Amino acid sequence: GGRAAVQARPVELAVTATQLPKAPLAPRRDPAAVWTGRELIVWGGWAGNQAASQAFADGAAYNPETGRWRGLAPAPLSARSAPVAVWTGREMVVWGGNDPARGRAGNALLDGAAYDPVSDSWRRIASAPAGSARSFGKAVLAQGRMVIGSGQDPTSGPRTASLLVYDLARDRWQRLPGGDPVYDLAATGREVALATIDPGTGQLRFRSVDVSNGRSRLLPDFPVSTRPDTVGVERVGLVFLFAPHAEYARAGSGEQVTEFKSMVKALHAVG
């Protein structure tokens, strides 16, 4: 596809902050969290610092219509921080993460579980293959699969390049080989769009992967200079927003920058 000039317009947002009722959980950071369309479900996380830390294995759900929290049934998982989570439409699937108190040697957490908010019950899922551990990853749902990218190997530290794919129906894992380390990802339907980091230049490059067969293809270069920690990838309807994290963008008609060929998506440059 071709490129067309675009002029970013400022967006004014009216924000009303409301104090939520106190949650039945200890203060924490880096938990798994999903929005079900009815509830915000939070599980896990940790508190403290590197010298003295505590990971959690409990969770709660908040319903904004009733303004109430409820505690979750105990999970069949150990306490952990920074796991990934997706909402499948019926369950919250939680996987991976790390326990800061264990140190790197004990941090290869490969197990996961699925939580059903209707029955308030958990079930275990298959563990991922050895060598797949990661924390602070990002997960999306595509073609009935949880696709995990980015994140760090808690046993060694470097940002991971491979994609982990969990088939919800078959309860099976697959590891797709990666090229450059994955910075961010977004589901497009049949494919997952990836923002990867070029080790040589530090710039972001973009490609798309069909998770059903692992086939990958390069996407057009982004029309502005992009560096990690300055650009976020988000899908809103049929439009991708590649925008600075501190900014908000609104995709309107005629604001296409780069057409995503067969995906017929658009990039919207901001700032």
Side-chain angles (χ1 to χ4, degrees), residues 180-181 196-206 221 224-228:
D180 297 335
T196 64
I197 304 172
D198 185 324
T201 65
Q203 297 288 312
L204 294 178
R205 297 190 298 193
F206 304 95
D221 292 335
V224 296
S225 176
T226 52
R227 300 187 313 277

Side-chain angles (χ1 to χ4, degrees), residues 64-252:
E65 290 189 3
T66 63
R68 295 181 179 179
W69 288 90
R70 64 177 181 84
L72 305 187
L77 299 174
S78 62
R80 64 193 63 194
S81 168
V84 298
V86 297
W87 173 247
T88 69
R90 190 175 66 89
E91 295 176 313
M92 174 180 73
V93 179
V94 178
W95 177 85
N98 71 88
D99 182 349
R102 294 189 182 191
R104 286 187 173 180
N107 254 332
L109 301 178
L110 301 172
D111 58 340
Y115 173 74
D116 183 340
V118 175
S119 62
D120 187 30
S121 62
W122 292 84
R123 63 178 179 87
R124 283 189 174 273
I125 65 171
S127 294
S132 301
R134 68 182 68 187
S135 56
F136 297 101
K138 299 177 181 180
V140 296
L141 195 65
Q143 296 195 62
R145 298 167 172 87
M146 177 171 66
V147 183
I148 304 169
S150 190
Q152 296 180 335
D153 183 338
T155 64
S156 62
R159 188 183 294 272
T160 53
S162 63
L163 291 178
L164 282 177
V165 181
Y166 172 68
D167 190 313
L168 301 175
R170 298 181 179 180
D171 193 29
R172 294 179 183 175
W173 288 90
Q174 179 184 13
R175 184 161 50 188
L176 299 180
D180 297 335
V182 176
Y183 172 70
D184 208 345
L185 69 167
T188 71
R190 292 193 56 83
E191 297 179 314
V192 174
L194 306 176
T196 64
I197 304 172
D198 185 324
T201 65
Q203 297 288 312
L204 294 178
R205 297 190 298 193
F206 304 95
R207 63 188 178 95
S208 187
V209 177
D210 186 328
V211 295
S212 66
N213 54 33
R215 293 176 182 173
S216 175
R217 61 189 180 88
L218 291 175
L219 297 177
D221 292 335
F222 196 56
V224 296
S225 176
T226 52
R227 300 187 313 277
D229 300 325
T230 64
V231 172
V233 183
E234 190 67 40
R235 180 173 183 247
V236 181
L238 295 179
V239 177
F240 280 107
L241 304 181
F242 289 77
H245 285 302
E247 301 289 336
Y248 289 86
R250 180 171 62 88

